[in-house]
Amino acid sequence: MKFTREDIDTQELDRRRALYGPLTAAVRDLVDATIRTEVDEAVIREVQATVVAATAKLRAEQIDGGFGMRFTADGESIAWGNAGIGLRNAIAPPLVIVSDDAGLHWTEVTLGAAYEGPPGLVHGGICALVMDHLLGTTASSIEPRFTGTLTLRYRRGTPLGPLRAEARIDRNEGRKTVVVGTLSDADGVTVEAEGIFIGPPTPTE
Ligand SMILES: CCCCCCCCCC(=O)SCCNC(=O)CCNC(=O)[C@H](O)C(C)(C)COP(=O)(O)OP(=O)(O)OC[C@H]1O[C@@H](n2cnc3c(N)ncnc32)[C@H](O)[C@@H]1OP(=O)(O)O
């Protein structure tokens, strides 16, 4: 697994956020526009050439493989390639997860055309991505946990549009943390989730 330390201060972190965040948002918008455009063929071909040229510019200098998980000297995590929350990942919705003192974790997100499965509904795998990340973050609120088993019950279709997901720890059993949660639209719950998240063995195990 790729965990690395970035020797940068908060000011530099903010500068990079301000640089890459808008690029990612523009690419995300491009994905949505690509799905929904009705412009004529000549414009499609022109845009394709423009996008190919832009991609070639970005490829002029690249890292090998994925972005990995980086940490600043202050312990702040930089998971910018992450498929759920990555600041530099246009595939990511992106999720912004918040929590309260009572242990509730939640995220409010709008999923558009790029996340469609059945017509007008969110793809089941995308629901799983949202719930895996939210429940995993909840499980990892004290120490890191990996998904062992994720169980989802799709109660009804999840419409594209604004959604809210919530999670809380149900119980801890040694290295295992069981987390439960829901995904909802304005009319109520669409998906129920339960996850068993496993931590690394303690040195004595
Ligand atoms: C930190 C920042 C926030 C991060 C948020 C992250 C959110 C996203 C989370 C993810 O998506 S993680 C990526 C998807 N998951 C993986 O890739 C995990 C792949 N699997 C593994 O690495 C290992 O199989 C795992 C760490 C889950 C367990 O391996 P171990 O060798 O440590 O388990 P072990 O066999 O020692 O079993 C320990 C306990 O866990 C139980 N267990 C093991 N695997 C399990 C499993 N898959 N499901 C349920 N329980 C499991 C096992 O029965 C046992 O229970 P008991 O202690 O009660 O006997």
Side-chain angles (χ1 to χ4, degrees):
M1 249 177 288
K2 207 169 151 190
F3 292 97
T4 49
R5 188 174 142 162
E6 284 268 350
D7 250 333
I8 54 172
D9 58 19
T10 308
Q11 201 180 358
E12 174 58 14
L13 190 61
D14 288 345
R15 190 192 69 78
R16 292 188 194 182
R17 270 200 192 100
L19 178 67
Y20 293 114
L23 170 64
T24 309
V27 175
R28 199 173 285 126
D29 198 30
L30 175 66
V31 170
D32 184 80
T34 301
I35 296 169
R36 296 166 59 204
T37 189
E38 295 284 333
V39 298
D40 66 35
E41 208 176 303
V43 178
I44 300 285
R45 291 186 200 291
E46 184 192 327
V47 170
Q48 183 194 338
T50 305
V51 172
V52 168
T55 303
K57 278 191 183 176
L58 293 175
R59 290 237 183 269
E61 274 185 58
Q62 299 258 277
I63 57 169
D64 290 331
F67 189 85
M69 182 83 159
R70 308 179 189 183
F71 291 90
T72 66
D74 299 334
E76 191 166 351
S77 67
I78 314 172
W80 288 356
N82 186 279
I85 58 169
L87 179 95
R88 288 179 62 173
N89 190 343
I91 303 286
L95 303 175
V96 177
I97 295 173
V98 283
S99 60
D100 65 17
D101 293 342
L104 183 71
H105 287 66
W106 72 91
T107 183
E108 286 177 355
V109 63
T110 296
L111 298 178
Y115 302 102
E116 187 172 51
L121 301 176
V122 179
H123 193 291
I126 298 297
C127 296
L129 168 77
V130 171
M131 299 316 287
D132 181 38
H133 199 92
L134 175 64
L135 270 59
T137 301
T138 305
S140 302
S141 51
I142 296 168
E143 49 185 340
R145 295 277 188 263
F146 290 100
T147 317
T149 300
L150 181 67
T151 307
L152 300 175
R153 184 183 172 106
Y154 294 88
R155 283 174 37 168
R156 62 183 170 87
T158 302
L160 295 176
L163 300 167
R164 177 183 168 93
E166 294 185 354
R168 62 170 65 251
I169 292 176
D170 182 63
R171 59 191 186 278
N172 284 297
E173 297 169 354
R175 286 162 55 199
K176 293 186 292 188
T177 300
V178 179
V179 182
V180 292
T182 53
L183 180 65
S184 304
D185 68 357
D187 295 329
V189 173
T190 61
V191 180
E192 293 168 342
E194 181 184 273
I196 303 170
F197 295 85
I198 322 276
T202 55
T204 51
E205 272 184 83

